[in-house]
Amino acid sequence: MNLHLHPFRLPLKEPFVLSHGTFHHRETLIIELEEGPLKGYGEATVITYYGKSMADLTKKVHEQKDAIQSLELDLSSPTPPRVPEIFQEEPFLQSALDCAIWDLWGQKNNTPIHTFLSPGQEPPMSSYTLSGSPGAISNTLQKGEWPIYKVKLGSVEDDAILPILFSFSEEKEIRIDANGGWSPKQALRYIKELVAHNITFIEQPLSTDLDEQIPALKAATGAQFWADESAQSGHSITHCSRYFDGINFKLMKSGGISPVLREIEVAREKGLKIGLGCMTET
């Protein structure tokens, strides 16, 4: 098995605005695994507010190059291979490796991964994430090209954005992701307004250290609360099940397809709803 790395700088079509800052591009590291005529690909994006850099990710892959290239996996087996945890402290890189191996396995078995994971099923609806200025959000909602929109809040623009969302909320499905950017007082005020305008899906309204306040928000508003950062901050799925209705899983935070499948099984046993999100991968 041969390893190749491909760094890219991805210009974003629109600025990506989060409570962590505004981003106009995303750097990404593509891991290519070559097995005979087949090439499998995985990806790790550089998320600066997670302390990642291209130089550091690349260095860590090179340090494990021999271990990766010496992997002996039965890619012809009808069962996906168990991917060794080579990057135990780097879930972003472990995810890239895991996905590249799944890609190779799917090609070797002539099985598209999505058909293996959900045989005979249509893929679920996908939402389009909106962030940025009130004007940019309004323009995208007016175009109406997606069935579901998830809008990033948790910034100084919230009071200007909310009336725009309310003007579309009867005709479009709108969801909210605050990325932990609200105080409990802000969350209570905003979520009451959102629910009154048919917007009930709220992702990560509070910072991860305030999870215990989610039940009070739920009792006061009747909204549906989803964990993102709280599911990846050292808290267990059992912890999240005490406070949230669902979890937004992300391959890069969990370490790839293999661990996410295990986590989904546990989450369903706990009665949680399941969502899959990305971190601006291609």
Side-chain angles (χ1 to χ4, degrees):
M1 186 177 295
N2 295 315
L3 168 70
H4 307 283
L5 299 183
H6 307 284
F8 289 97
R9 183 183 177 93
L10 308 172
L12 302 181
K13 185 177 180 181
E14 299 171 353
F16 194 48
V17 182
L18 302 171
S19 58
H20 305 288
T22 300
F23 303 89
H24 298 274
H25 72 275
R26 187 71 85 202
E27 291 185 345
T28 189
L29 181 64
I30 305 292
I31 287 182
E32 175 189 323
L33 296 181
E34 185 180 23
E35 178 84 3
L38 304 179
K39 295 179 179 181
Y41 296 96
E43 182 172 15
T45 50
V46 177
I47 309 296
T48 54
Y49 50 88
Y50 276 81
K52 310 299 181 186
S53 72
M54 180 64 75
D56 186 49
L57 293 179
T58 302
K59 177 175 178 290
K60 289 178 178 178
V61 176
H62 281 302
E63 289 172 350
Q64 298 296 333
K65 182 175 181 179
D66 290 344
I68 294 170
Q69 293 193 145
S70 63
L71 287 175
E72 294 184 4
L73 302 168
D74 184 5
L75 297 176
S76 299
S77 169
T79 303
R82 292 189 64 85
V83 181
E85 194 173 349
I86 289 178
F87 299 102
Q88 295 185 15
E89 304 300 323
E90 276 292 348
F92 285 26
L93 292 177
Q94 183 65 27
S95 175
L97 176 66
D98 187 272
C99 291
I101 290 173
W102 271 80
D103 188 5
L104 281 178
W105 173 83
Q107 293 179 58
K108 195 85 169 182
N109 288 273
N110 197 30
T111 303
I113 301 305
H114 72 91
T115 62
F116 173 80
L117 296 175
S118 300
Q121 298 180 34
E122 288 294 317
M125 285 289 191
S126 179
S127 65
Y128 182 84
T129 298
L130 294 179
S131 63
S133 69
I137 289 174
S138 177
N139 289 339
T140 303
L141 287 172
Q142 285 176 359
K143 293 177 185 176
E145 297 172 342
W146 282 74
I148 307 169
Y149 290 93
K150 187 169 79 170
V151 181
K152 296 284 188 180
L153 295 180
S155 75
V156 295
E157 298 274 24
D158 286 358
D159 286 316
I161 293 172
L162 285 176
I164 295 169
L165 303 186
F166 300 157
S167 69
F168 288 97
S169 61
E170 292 300 323
E171 59 184 272
K172 301 183 187 301
E173 182 174 348
I174 295 175
R175 301 173 178 178
I176 300 301
D177 182 3
N179 283 117
W182 287 334
S183 68
K185 185 176 180 180
Q186 286 175 312
L188 181 61
R189 176 166 70 91
Y190 287 140
I191 295 170
K192 280 185 174 180
E193 293 182 43
L194 289 161
V195 170
H197 289 86
N198 199 39
I199 301 173
T200 60
F201 181 111
I202 312 293
E203 185 175 321
Q204 202 66 46
L206 305 175
S207 60
T208 60
D209 58 335
L210 296 176
D211 286 349
E212 70 279 359
Q213 299 200 33
I214 295 294
L217 281 177
K218 188 174 183 65
T221 64
Q224 180 183 146
F225 292 99
W226 284 65
D228 181 1
E229 287 83 356
S230 286
Q232 308 296 339
S233 60
H235 294 155
S236 66
I237 293 175
T238 299
H239 166 94
C240 289
S241 69
R242 297 190 188 109
Y243 305 110
F244 294 93
D245 299 289
I247 293 180
N248 179 9
F249 289 102
K250 295 181 177 177
L251 298 186
M252 289 212 316
K253 288 183 180 181
S254 295
I257 295 171
S258 305
V260 162
L261 289 177
R262 296 192 291 270
E263 290 169 355
I264 285 173
E265 186 175 347
V266 174
R268 284 182 169 150
E269 289 174 355
K270 300 293 183 183
L272 289 162
K273 298 177 186 295
I274 306 299
L276 293 173
C278 72
M279 300 187 76
T280 336
E281 301 100 311
T282 59

